[in-house]
Every structure is written in C-alpha cells, then in structure tokens.
Amino acid sequence: MAHAHQHHHEVPHAPAHPHAHAHTHDSGATPNGLPEILDLDAALFAPQLTALTGRIACLAGDDVRHIVDLGSGTGTGTFALLEQFPTARVTAVDSSPEMLERLVSAARERGLDDRVRTLETDAGAGLPGVVDADLVWASASLHHLDDPATALAGIRAALRPGGLLAVAEVDGMPYFLPGDGESGELEARCRAALDGLHAERMPHRGADWGPLLTAAGFSVEQERAEPWELRAPLPEGAGRYAFLVFERVRGSLDGRVDTDDLAALDRLVDGGPEDVRHRDDLVVRSTRRIWMARRAQGDMRA
Ligand SMILES: C[S@@+](CC[C@H](N)C(=O)[O-])C[C@H]1O[C@@H](n2cnc3c(N)ncnc32)[C@H](O)[C@@H]1O
C-alpha cells in the first residue's frame, strides 16, 4: 500500500496514462443535470444506501482500510463508505474530470479531503497503480465499461486476495407518476425507448453480472434485487429529482417516442399544472440489483 500513500494527496486532473480518455463514453460531455441527479438520488435514498453499506461491512469485515469507488461520479458512494468505515480512505476513479472536481470540493466541504484521492482514468482498462484494495464499490458504473471481462480483470487485480467487490445497478429510469393508468404507460414507453437508445452505446446495461463475475474469477456471495421506493409524503428534493430526470430523458427521446408522448413529457417540466416540481402525488420507484463478489483468499495471481 506504500505507493498509494504517496498519492494520498489529491491528484485530481492527471490522467493516469496518455490514452486515459480514449475509450470513455462520458468524459468531457457530462450533461449538466447528471451530477445533481446523482446527489439527489443518494440524499433521497440515504436510508437504503446506509443499509447497503452496512451489509457490505458485514461481508468485508472491520479491517477495511482502502476502498475504491469505481465510476464515482460526484462521490455518493465515497461519502457513504467513508461514514461506514471511519478509518478507511477512498480512491475515487472516474473518467470525467468534472465529476471528480465536484467530488473533491464536496470532500473539502466535509473536511474529508485527507481521506480521498482521485484517479481520472477509463476504469474499463484497469486501475493503474491501485493494488491491495480491501473493497471496490461500483454503483451504476460497470455498465458504462466497454468490455466486462477486461474491466473485471482490472478490478480483481486492484483488490487484495479476499477483498470484496460490491456492484449495484439500477434497472432503468425510475417511475415517478402515480397509478397504473396512462401515465404509467407513458413512463413504460419512455423506459423502453431509453433501453433502445442505451443498448446502442452501452450493450452491458441491464446485464446479469453474476455469471460475468464468476467467469472473471470472483465468487459471488450475494445477489439480490431490491425495490427502492418512496411514496407520499415524499422527502424534499423528490420533485426536483423527478424534474431533472424527465428533463434529461425528454432531451434524448426526440424521434424515439411519438409526438403525443413528447408533448406529455413537456407538460411534466414546463412549469404548468402537471409539472412534477409542484405535485404531491409522485412516487419514486426503481429496482436496484446488488452483487457481492469476492476475490478468493487463495487467488495470488497478480
Ligand atoms: C451513473 S454515474 C454513477 C455515479 C456514482 N457511482 C453513483 O452511483 O452515484 C456513472 C459514472 O461512471 C463514470 N464513467 C463512465 N464511463 C467510465 C469509464 N470508462 N471509466 C470510469 N468512469 C466512467 C461517469 O463519468 C459517471 O460519473
């Protein structure tokens, strides 16, 4: 771990190697709403996130000193895990310098910057300089990586033997609109259109990571699907969260759903009576799939 301490200071903007950007999807083009969506998601589902990091602690044990947050975004996982493991430090890995900048300033604001370092790289191509991690957390990030086998081999090499990989994936855009009627159908059509759109760029979105983890030499110790749901009265921020998601979704659905659906989506964000920011009948519903996988204790390969 000596080398990791050398980099313990923030080195946020130094690409790990000259090709660090070559294979990324998002680098440099992080849409404006996404950081706030990620932060709101973590705030709204804070109890679920705490329960999840608690279960990770049960599996990972007390002696977790070095954590990797892979595809960290704004640091939702970084901060939840720093709280769960009060003596650990986190290497936050992301291909987007904008995300890492936000993470670093949030860490500073919380007085946690001495426990966080950042690594700007394409995490699909390995984690340069990272070895002996006790825990790798990959939330809503693995599906971004080009080749699961290469990415998982890189994660395994970054973990110490016996170390734990926790993978969380969301099943798609959350449902916000009440009831099973027309609005539910609108959301279902939007989700299907988004699935089609993303399938072109991210073929591993929605993948079953269990067999991929096993094939990569991990032993999968837990696998579960959890409904993460909020119902009225919704916590503050839920309307804003729905607004940002619909705005983002609306922006990518031109030509992918019909004009009636586009108009219905517009009405959800146009400041009028149906605008999700002013409603008290919303829900927030999605399914998180979680895999807990271990690098075998006896796996001594580099
Ligand atoms: C949906 S966000 C999830 C962020 C965070 N893990 C969370 O759960 O809040 C996906 C993140 O993966 C990052 N990402 C996408 N492709 C990547 C790659 N090839 N290497 C590293 N990070 C990547 C994006 O920049 C983004 O921050």
Side-chain angles (χ1 to χ4, degrees):
M1 298 242 279
H3 85 282
H5 281 289
Q6 277 169 17
H7 299 284
H8 200 64
H9 304 292
E10 292 149 25
V11 282
H13 310 306
H17 56 86
H19 305 296
H21 293 282
H23 308 289
T24 60
H25 300 289
D26 290 355
S27 194
T30 306
N32 291 334
L34 184 57
E36 197 183 344
I37 290 174
L38 297 174
D39 286 344
L40 279 168
D41 184 79
L44 291 169
F45 289 106
Q48 287 85 345
L49 195 53
T50 303
L52 178 52
T53 58
R55 286 208 311 281
I56 290 173
C58 289
L59 287 175
D62 292 335
D63 196 21
V64 169
R65 281 166 298 170
H66 182 201
I67 300 170
V68 173
D69 183 358
L70 187 143
S72 60
T74 55
T76 56
T78 293
F79 298 119
L81 291 163
L82 285 175
E83 200 172 320
Q84 182 68 51
F85 298 100
T87 58
R89 63 202 165 76
V90 170
T91 300
V93 182
D94 207 288
S95 54
S96 157
E98 293 84 1
M99 288 290 190
L100 292 176
E101 260 168 46
R102 287 183 70 115
L103 187 149
V104 166
S105 45
R108 251 188 232 121
E109 270 168 36
R110 294 168 188 236
L112 291 171
D113 42 329
D114 60 335
R115 295 175 60 201
V116 178
R117 70 158 188 139
T118 59
L119 176 62
E120 184 191 325
T121 193
D122 173 5
L127 302 174
V130 182
V131 288
D132 279 342
D134 302 293
L135 170 65
V136 173
W137 160 264
S139 164
S141 56
L142 282 194
H143 68 269
H144 285 279
L145 308 180
D146 292 332
D147 174 37
T150 308
L152 293 176
I155 293 173
R156 198 178 104 197
L159 277 169
R160 66 166 169 78
L164 192 73
L165 165 61
V167 177
E169 289 281 330
V170 193
D171 70 333
M173 181 186 111
Y175 286 98
F176 295 104
L177 302 176
D180 307 317
E182 263 176 48
S183 51
E185 286 166 23
L186 169 69
E187 285 185 311
R189 285 193 296 276
C190 290
R191 279 172 69 108
L194 287 173
D195 288 347
L197 172 69
H198 289 137
E200 294 160 17
R201 288 193 301 126
M202 293 184 263
H204 309 294
R205 193 169 168 269
D208 181 359
W209 288 92
L212 295 169
L213 287 161
T214 306
F218 287 90
S219 67
V220 179
E221 297 190 354
Q222 276 187 20
E223 186 174 340
R224 54 200 263 179
E226 301 179 4
W228 283 24
E229 299 193 359
L230 300 173
R231 295 185 182 280
L234 290 182
E236 205 185 317
R240 171 89 186 147
Y241 177 70
F243 170 78
L244 290 169
V245 171
F246 278 121
E247 203 181 40
R248 189 173 154 82
V249 161
R250 170 65 186 86
S252 54
L253 287 184
D254 270 320
R256 293 185 175 266
V257 294
D258 68 26
T259 50
D260 287 349
D261 282 352
L262 290 177
L265 281 172
D266 285 335
R267 289 196 297 277
L268 298 174
V269 294
D270 68 358
E274 290 180 48
D275 190 298
V276 290
R277 285 169 293 183
H278 317 306
R279 289 167 62 160
D280 57 12
D281 63 343
L282 298 182
V283 296
V284 185
R285 278 197 296 134
S286 66
T287 300
R288 313 278 161 139
R289 294 188 68 191
I290 319 284
W291 292 264
M292 305 277 197
R294 200 177 296 278
R295 175 175 177 182
Q297 196 69 56
D299 174 7
M300 294 301 175
R301 271 188 291 162

